[in-house]
Amino acid sequence: MPELPEVEALAAFLRERASGHVVARAEAASFAVLKTFDPPLTALSGLTVRDAGRRGKFLDLLCGDLHLVMHLARAGWLRWRDDIPDKPVKPGKSPLAFRFVLEDGAGFDLTEAGTQKRLAVYLVRDPLDVPGLATLGPEPMSEDFTVDVLAGILAGRRTQIKGVLRDQHIIAGIGNAYSDEVLHAAKMSPYKLAASFTQEEVVTLHKAIVETLADATARSAGLAAADLKGEKKTGLRVHGKAGQLCPVCGDTIREVSFADSALQYCPACQTGGKPLADRRLSRLLK
Ligand SMILES: [Zn+2]
């Protein structure tokens, strides 16, 4: 899933490539993809793309006075094409979920594998009309996200830090991948309780959040949409790397599986060398 660094790069790419161009048409493959009905997608035709931006993991393309807000969900992606085919977009098994075409024939497809599309597109006059966007937590790359702000977020919260970092209502833009990376950089257990952080640990975590995201954003900057996915994968140190060696200490990276996701971590760097309990696994073994 694209997270803050990749969505930031996608926004920069669209700003560069689409700004100043006139929209020819936009089409959704199904009603499930387009979450709004007023204004209709046909209202985009003839408008000029003015800007592109990011809030959390949402991509916002400003066309005239309308915001085309896109959320790529877990498996969605944006594919830029210099020459978009004329064929109409059809629902069904195709990964194509949404198509946006400029008058010069270029544009982008939003794709997602599988028949059930979870990516979401909204056409709104005000981005705050998008559910989930209005309730986002602070942007971790903004100057307002200080150590004190993070301390306030963690204080009194009896939940594991991994879940806190991923919660978009608490901090915007960090998902499953970068929360693993941040905790590895901070040398902290994903199970550590938010309320247990000392001031010194808050400083360490804050630094890890800002540096991890800044590094990934710098690596992604200037890349074409097509190259972002590969860059994200190669830049990660622990996420998705179970069984491989930790690039910091050489221990074997381990994994804990949940019903719909998994986390990866380095025992030597993060949990004092002890593997974390995998509740699902231990239940199976009983
Ligand atoms: Zn390690």
Side-chain angles (χ1 to χ4, degrees):
M1 172 191 212
E3 299 178 27
L4 187 156
E6 295 78 37
V7 181
E8 185 76 35
L10 284 173
F13 177 84
L14 288 180
R15 195 180 304 130
E16 169 86 19
R17 187 59 187 79
S19 287
H21 290 265
V22 174
V23 183
R25 64 179 200 278
E27 297 173 89
S30 74
F31 290 114
V33 170
L34 184 67
K35 305 296 181 189
T36 52
F37 58 91
D38 177 36
L41 282 182
T42 49
L44 285 169
S45 302
L47 298 180
T48 300
V49 178
R50 290 167 54 198
D51 200 4
R54 177 197 62 79
R55 177 79 172 94
K57 299 184 215 166
F58 290 89
L59 193 55
D60 180 359
L61 193 64
L62 180 62
C63 307
D65 289 327
L66 298 179
H67 294 262
L68 182 68
V69 177
M70 297 164 274
H71 189 268
L72 295 172
R74 188 181 286 179
W77 205 257
L78 183 149
R79 180 181 171 207
W80 181 266
R81 307 176 73 164
D82 285 326
D83 200 2
I84 291 253
D86 270 338
K87 277 188 283 179
V89 173
K90 285 196 207 124
K93 284 196 177 132
S94 153
L96 180 59
F98 186 82
R99 175 166 281 170
F100 181 90
V101 190
L102 297 169
E103 277 194 340
D104 67 2
F108 62 82
D109 287 343
L110 298 185
T111 58
E112 186 177 4
T115 44
Q116 193 156 24
K117 302 281 186 269
R118 293 169 74 178
L119 68 79
V121 176
Y122 311 79
L123 185 61
V124 289
R125 296 176 184 90
D126 180 351
L128 293 182
D129 288 340
V130 174
L133 200 150
T135 55
L136 284 173
E139 285 289 337
M141 296 298 281
S142 93
E143 281 179 16
D144 301 337
F145 187 75
T146 60
V147 170
D148 285 347
V149 166
L150 181 59
I153 284 170
L154 302 181
R157 217 178 265 277
R158 309 284 312 160
T159 45
Q160 293 168 348
I161 188 62
K162 168 78 179 173
V164 171
L165 291 177
R166 280 184 70 179
D167 189 332
Q168 299 305 298
H169 303 302
I170 302 176
I171 301 171
I174 302 175
N176 196 30
Y178 287 105
S179 54
D180 280 351
E181 296 298 302
V182 164
L183 291 169
H184 179 254
K187 296 192 186 297
M188 288 171 183
S189 168
Y191 288 180
K192 184 174 170 60
L193 283 186
S196 76
F197 276 68
T198 64
Q199 177 67 15
E200 198 182 333
E201 287 170 334
V202 176
V203 171
T204 302
L205 181 65
H206 183 270
K207 186 167 180 274
I209 291 172
V210 172
E211 288 185 358
T212 300
L213 295 177
D215 283 356
T217 303
R219 278 199 311 272
S220 302
L223 288 183
D227 301 325
L228 281 169
K229 216 182 211 170
E231 177 50 47
K232 180 180 177 188
K233 270 202 185 119
T234 48
L236 299 174
R237 291 172 151 195
V238 284
H239 183 75
K241 313 259 175 181
Q244 299 182 34
L245 301 183
C246 170
V248 172
C249 73
D251 193 7
T252 302
I253 295 163
R254 285 181 173 257
E255 174 169 271
V256 181
S257 300
F258 303 96
D260 60 347
S261 69
L263 67 80
Q264 287 86 31
Y265 67 101
C266 168
C269 287
Q270 296 175 255
T271 58
K274 278 183 239 147
L276 292 171
D278 188 332
R279 288 203 197 100
R280 256 176 105 219
L281 196 61
S282 47
R283 218 171 29 234
L284 290 172
L285 292 174
K286 259 181 210 162

PDB file of all heavy atoms in Angstrom, residues 118-140:
ATOM      1  N   ARG A 118     -11.278  -1.888  -3.213  1.00  0.00           N
ATOM      2  CA  ARG A 118     -11.331  -1.140  -1.956  1.00  0.00           C
ATOM      3  C   ARG A 118     -10.824   0.287  -2.117  1.00  0.00           C
ATOM      4  O   ARG A 118     -10.980   1.101  -1.215  1.00  0.00           O
ATOM      5  CB  ARG A 118     -10.539  -1.878  -0.885  1.00  0.00           C
ATOM      6  CG  ARG A 118     -11.214  -3.201  -0.514  1.00  0.00           C
ATOM      7  CD  ARG A 118     -10.319  -4.052   0.336  1.00  0.00           C
ATOM      8  NE  ARG A 118     -10.241  -3.543   1.694  1.00  0.00           N
ATOM      9  CZ  ARG A 118      -9.544  -4.127   2.655  1.00  0.00           C
ATOM     10  NH1 ARG A 118      -8.859  -5.210   2.392  1.00  0.00           N
ATOM     11  NH2 ARG A 118      -9.511  -3.617   3.867  1.00  0.00           N
ATOM     12  N   LEU A 119     -10.164   0.550  -3.244  1.00  0.00           N
ATOM     13  CA  LEU A 119      -9.724   1.932  -3.430  1.00  0.00           C
ATOM     14  C   LEU A 119     -10.951   2.814  -3.617  1.00  0.00           C
ATOM     15  O   LEU A 119     -12.021   2.342  -4.010  1.00  0.00           O
ATOM     16  CB  LEU A 119      -8.721   2.058  -4.581  1.00  0.00           C
ATOM     17  CG  LEU A 119      -9.110   1.831  -6.034  1.00  0.00           C
ATOM     18  CD1 LEU A 119      -9.814   3.028  -6.623  1.00  0.00           C
ATOM     19  CD2 LEU A 119      -7.850   1.560  -6.832  1.00  0.00           C
ATOM     20  N   ALA A 120     -10.817   4.078  -3.290  1.00  0.00           N
ATOM     21  CA  ALA A 120     -11.977   4.957  -3.248  1.00  0.00           C
ATOM     22  C   ALA A 120     -11.667   6.288  -3.917  1.00  0.00           C
ATOM     23  O   ALA A 120     -10.570   6.833  -3.771  1.00  0.00           O
ATOM     24  CB  ALA A 120     -12.393   5.185  -1.801  1.00  0.00           C
ATOM     25  N   VAL A 121     -12.643   6.779  -4.678  1.00  0.00           N
ATOM     26  CA  VAL A 121     -12.509   8.063  -5.356  1.00  0.00           C
ATOM     27  C   VAL A 121     -13.693   8.942  -4.953  1.00  0.00           C
ATOM     28  O   VAL A 121     -14.828   8.462  -4.864  1.00  0.00           O
ATOM     29  CB  VAL A 121     -12.493   7.860  -6.889  1.00  0.00           C
ATOM     30  CG1 VAL A 121     -12.443   9.199  -7.616  1.00  0.00           C
ATOM     31  CG2 VAL A 121     -11.314   6.990  -7.315  1.00  0.00           C
ATOM     32  N   TYR A 122     -13.393  10.197  -4.677  1.00  0.00           N
ATOM     33  CA  TYR A 122     -14.424  11.153  -4.258  1.00  0.00           C
ATOM     34  C   TYR A 122     -14.273  12.404  -5.124  1.00  0.00           C
ATOM     35  O   TYR A 122     -13.152  12.892  -5.303  1.00  0.00           O
ATOM     36  CB  TYR A 122     -14.230  11.575  -2.798  1.00  0.00           C
ATOM     37  CG  TYR A 122     -14.034  10.443  -1.820  1.00  0.00           C
ATOM     38  CD1 TYR A 122     -12.798   9.808  -1.702  1.00  0.00           C
ATOM     39  CD2 TYR A 122     -15.077  10.015  -1.005  1.00  0.00           C
ATOM     40  CE1 TYR A 122     -12.594   8.776  -0.788  1.00  0.00           C
ATOM     41  CE2 TYR A 122     -14.890   8.986  -0.086  1.00  0.00           C
ATOM     42  CZ  TYR A 122     -13.651   8.370   0.015  1.00  0.00           C
ATOM     43  OH  TYR A 122     -13.460   7.345   0.917  1.00  0.00           O
ATOM     44  N   LEU A 123     -15.366  12.932  -5.637  1.00  0.00           N
ATOM     45  CA  LEU A 123     -15.314  14.237  -6.300  1.00  0.00           C
ATOM     46  C   LEU A 123     -16.126  15.203  -5.440  1.00  0.00           C
ATOM     47  O   LEU A 123     -17.336  15.051  -5.281  1.00  0.00           O
ATOM     48  CB  LEU A 123     -15.880  14.156  -7.719  1.00  0.00           C
ATOM     49  CG  LEU A 123     -15.757  15.460  -8.514  1.00  0.00           C
ATOM     50  CD1 LEU A 123     -14.294  15.876  -8.682  1.00  0.00           C
ATOM     51  CD2 LEU A 123     -16.424  15.339  -9.882  1.00  0.00           C
ATOM     52  N   VAL A 124     -15.412  16.166  -4.853  1.00  0.00           N
ATOM     53  CA  VAL A 124     -16.046  17.050  -3.867  1.00  0.00           C
ATOM     54  C   VAL A 124     -15.633  18.502  -4.092  1.00  0.00           C
ATOM     55  O   VAL A 124     -14.615  18.796  -4.731  1.00  0.00           O
ATOM     56  CB  VAL A 124     -15.646  16.642  -2.420  1.00  0.00           C
ATOM     57  CG1 VAL A 124     -16.288  15.333  -2.018  1.00  0.00           C
ATOM     58  CG2 VAL A 124     -14.133  16.550  -2.279  1.00  0.00           C
ATOM     59  N   ARG A 125     -16.433  19.413  -3.543  1.00  0.00           N
ATOM     60  CA  ARG A 125     -16.092  20.837  -3.597  1.00  0.00           C
ATOM     61  C   ARG A 125     -15.137  21.197  -2.467  1.00  0.00           C
ATOM     62  O   ARG A 125     -14.343  22.113  -2.579  1.00  0.00           O
ATOM     63  CB  ARG A 125     -17.361  21.678  -3.519  1.00  0.00           C
ATOM     64  CG  ARG A 125     -18.276  21.460  -4.731  1.00  0.00           C
ATOM     65  CD  ARG A 125     -19.588  22.215  -4.625  1.00  0.00           C
ATOM     66  NE  ARG A 125     -20.444  21.892  -5.773  1.00  0.00           N
ATOM     67  CZ  ARG A 125     -21.318  20.890  -5.784  1.00  0.00           C
ATOM     68  NH1 ARG A 125     -21.481  20.119  -4.725  1.00  0.00           N
ATOM     69  NH2 ARG A 125     -22.037  20.652  -6.872  1.00  0.00           N
ATOM     70  N   ASP A 126     -15.228  20.435  -1.369  1.00  0.00           N
ATOM     71  CA  ASP A 126     -14.379  20.680  -0.205  1.00  0.00           C
ATOM     72  C   ASP A 126     -13.793  19.337   0.248  1.00  0.00           C
ATOM     73  O   ASP A 126     -14.549  18.415   0.547  1.00  0.00           O
ATOM     74  CB  ASP A 126     -15.238  21.288   0.920  1.00  0.00           C
ATOM     75  CG  ASP A 126     -14.422  21.581   2.179  1.00  0.00           C
ATOM     76  OD1 ASP A 126     -13.243  21.168   2.257  1.00  0.00           O
ATOM     77  OD2 ASP A 126     -14.981  22.221   3.082  1.00  0.00           O
ATOM     78  N   PRO A 127     -12.459  19.220   0.292  1.00  0.00           N
ATOM     79  CA  PRO A 127     -11.861  17.928   0.680  1.00  0.00           C
ATOM     80  C   PRO A 127     -12.327  17.442   2.054  1.00  0.00           C
ATOM     81  O   PRO A 127     -12.338  16.236   2.311  1.00  0.00           O
ATOM     82  CB  PRO A 127     -10.356  18.200   0.696  1.00  0.00           C
ATOM     83  CG  PRO A 127     -10.140  19.561   0.173  1.00  0.00           C
ATOM     84  CD  PRO A 127     -11.448  20.239  -0.043  1.00  0.00           C
ATOM     85  N   LEU A 128     -12.731  18.379   2.912  1.00  0.00           N
ATOM     86  CA  LEU A 128     -13.181  17.950   4.241  1.00  0.00           C
ATOM     87  C   LEU A 128     -14.532  17.235   4.194  1.00  0.00           C
ATOM     88  O   LEU A 128     -14.988  16.683   5.194  1.00  0.00           O
ATOM     89  CB  LEU A 128     -13.240  19.147   5.196  1.00  0.00           C
ATOM     90  CG  LEU A 128     -11.875  19.762   5.528  1.00  0.00           C
ATOM     91  CD1 LEU A 128     -12.023  20.906   6.516  1.00  0.00           C
ATOM     92  CD2 LEU A 128     -10.897  18.723   6.083  1.00  0.00           C
ATOM     93  N   ASP A 129     -15.170  17.240   3.012  1.00  0.00           N
ATOM     94  CA  ASP A 129     -16.387  16.446   2.850  1.00  0.00           C
ATOM     95  C   ASP A 129     -16.078  14.956   2.718  1.00  0.00           C
ATOM     96  O   ASP A 129     -16.988  14.125   2.730  1.00  0.00           O
ATOM     97  CB  ASP A 129     -17.165  16.893   1.598  1.00  0.00           C
ATOM     98  CG  ASP A 129     -17.814  18.256   1.801  1.00  0.00           C
ATOM     99  OD1 ASP A 129     -17.979  18.660   2.976  1.00  0.00           O
ATOM    100  OD2 ASP A 129     -18.129  18.917   0.791  1.00  0.00           O
ATOM    101  N   VAL A 130     -14.798  14.624   2.543  1.00  0.00           N
ATOM    102  CA  VAL A 130     -14.429  13.216   2.405  1.00  0.00           C
ATOM    103  C   VAL A 130     -14.307  12.586   3.793  1.00  0.00           C
ATOM    104  O   VAL A 130     -13.503  13.029   4.606  1.00  0.00           O
ATOM    105  CB  VAL A 130     -13.082  13.074   1.648  1.00  0.00           C
ATOM    106  CG1 VAL A 130     -12.624  11.627   1.638  1.00  0.00           C
ATOM    107  CG2 VAL A 130     -13.214  13.619   0.236  1.00  0.00           C
ATOM    108  N   PRO A 131     -15.134  11.548   4.055  1.00  0.00           N
ATOM    109  CA  PRO A 131     -15.055  10.912   5.366  1.00  0.00           C
ATOM    110  C   PRO A 131     -13.648  10.316   5.537  1.00  0.00           C
ATOM    111  O   PRO A 131     -13.087   9.815   4.593  1.00  0.00           O
ATOM    112  CB  PRO A 131     -16.096   9.788   5.308  1.00  0.00           C
ATOM    113  CG  PRO A 131     -16.843   9.982   4.039  1.00  0.00           C
ATOM    114  CD  PRO A 131     -16.039  10.845   3.135  1.00  0.00           C
ATOM    115  N   GLY A 132     -13.091  10.414   6.677  1.00  0.00           N
ATOM    116  CA  GLY A 132     -11.743   9.869   6.871  1.00  0.00           C
ATOM    117  C   GLY A 132     -10.684  10.928   6.673  1.00  0.00           C
ATOM    118  O   GLY A 132      -9.637  10.885   7.287  1.00  0.00           O
ATOM    119  N   LEU A 133     -10.953  11.911   5.806  1.00  0.00           N
ATOM    120  CA  LEU A 133      -9.965  12.973   5.607  1.00  0.00           C
ATOM    121  C   LEU A 133     -10.133  14.059   6.674  1.00  0.00           C
ATOM    122  O   LEU A 133      -9.164  14.577   7.225  1.00  0.00           O
ATOM    123  CB  LEU A 133     -10.101  13.560   4.197  1.00  0.00           C
ATOM    124  CG  LEU A 133      -8.890  14.316   3.660  1.00  0.00           C
ATOM    125  CD1 LEU A 133      -8.801  14.224   2.145  1.00  0.00           C
ATOM    126  CD2 LEU A 133      -8.916  15.765   4.078  1.00  0.00           C
ATOM    127  N   ALA A 134     -11.380  14.329   6.999  1.00  0.00           N
ATOM    128  CA  ALA A 134     -11.657  15.372   7.990  1.00  0.00           C
ATOM    129  C   ALA A 134     -11.176  14.965   9.388  1.00  0.00           C
ATOM    130  O   ALA A 134     -10.870  15.819  10.210  1.00  0.00           O
ATOM    131  CB  ALA A 134     -13.149  15.670   8.016  1.00  0.00           C
ATOM    132  N   THR A 135     -11.098  13.655   9.621  1.00  0.00           N
ATOM    133  CA  THR A 135     -10.755  13.173  10.973  1.00  0.00           C
ATOM    134  C   THR A 135      -9.309  12.703  11.084  1.00  0.00           C
ATOM    135  O   THR A 135      -8.936  12.031  12.041  1.00  0.00           O
ATOM    136  CB  THR A 135     -11.688  12.009  11.367  1.00  0.00           C
ATOM    137  OG1 THR A 135     -11.601  11.004  10.352  1.00  0.00           O
ATOM    138  CG2 THR A 135     -13.125  12.457  11.498  1.00  0.00           C
ATOM    139  N   LEU A 136      -8.472  13.052  10.096  1.00  0.00           N
ATOM    140  CA  LEU A 136      -7.074  12.631  10.139  1.00  0.00           C
ATOM    141  C   LEU A 136      -6.323  13.303  11.289  1.00  0.00           C
ATOM    142  O   LEU A 136      -6.576  14.461  11.612  1.00  0.00           O
ATOM    143  CB  LEU A 136      -6.367  12.995   8.829  1.00  0.00           C
ATOM    144  CG  LEU A 136      -6.654  12.118   7.606  1.00  0.00           C
ATOM    145  CD1 LEU A 136      -6.003  12.731   6.371  1.00  0.00           C
ATOM    146  CD2 LEU A 136      -6.175  10.702   7.820  1.00  0.00           C
ATOM    147  N   GLY A 137      -5.379  12.580  11.843  1.00  0.00           N
ATOM    148  CA  GLY A 137      -4.494  13.139  12.858  1.00  0.00           C
ATOM    149  C   GLY A 137      -3.478  14.071  12.233  1.00  0.00           C
ATOM    150  O   GLY A 137      -3.527  14.326  11.026  1.00  0.00           O
ATOM    151  N   PRO A 138      -2.533  14.586  13.032  1.00  0.00           N
ATOM    152  CA  PRO A 138      -1.539  15.523  12.500  1.00  0.00           C
ATOM    153  C   PRO A 138      -0.614  14.884  11.462  1.00  0.00           C
ATOM    154  O   PRO A 138      -0.399  13.675  11.470  1.00  0.00           O
ATOM    155  CB  PRO A 138      -0.753  15.943  13.746  1.00  0.00           C
ATOM    156  CG  PRO A 138      -1.020  14.907  14.768  1.00  0.00           C
ATOM    157  CD  PRO A 138      -2.377  14.351  14.470  1.00  0.00           C
ATOM    158  N   GLU A 139      -0.083  15.726  10.591  1.00  0.00           N
ATOM    159  CA  GLU A 139       0.889  15.292   9.587  1.00  0.00           C
ATOM    160  C   GLU A 139       2.259  15.176  10.251  1.00  0.00           C
ATOM    161  O   GLU A 139       2.795  16.170  10.744  1.00  0.00           O
ATOM    162  CB  GLU A 139       0.969  16.335   8.458  1.00  0.00           C
ATOM    163  CG  GLU A 139      -0.204  16.333   7.513  1.00  0.00           C
ATOM    164  CD  GLU A 139      -0.231  15.110   6.611  1.00  0.00           C
ATOM    165  OE1 GLU A 139       0.837  14.498   6.396  1.00  0.00           O
ATOM    166  OE2 GLU A 139      -1.327  14.761   6.135  1.00  0.00           O
ATOM    167  N   PRO A 140       2.866  13.985  10.221  1.00  0.00           N
ATOM    168  CA  PRO A 140       4.141  13.808  10.919  1.00  0.00           C
ATOM    169  C   PRO A 140       5.311  14.579  10.296  1.00  0.00           C
ATOM    170  O   PRO A 140       6.326  14.768  10.949  1.00  0.00           O
ATOM    171  CB  PRO A 140       4.379  12.295  10.846  1.00  0.00           C
ATOM    172  CG  PRO A 140       3.529  11.818   9.731  1.00  0.00           C
ATOM    173  CD  PRO A 140       2.352  12.737   9.660  1.00  0.00           C
TER     174      PRO A 140
END
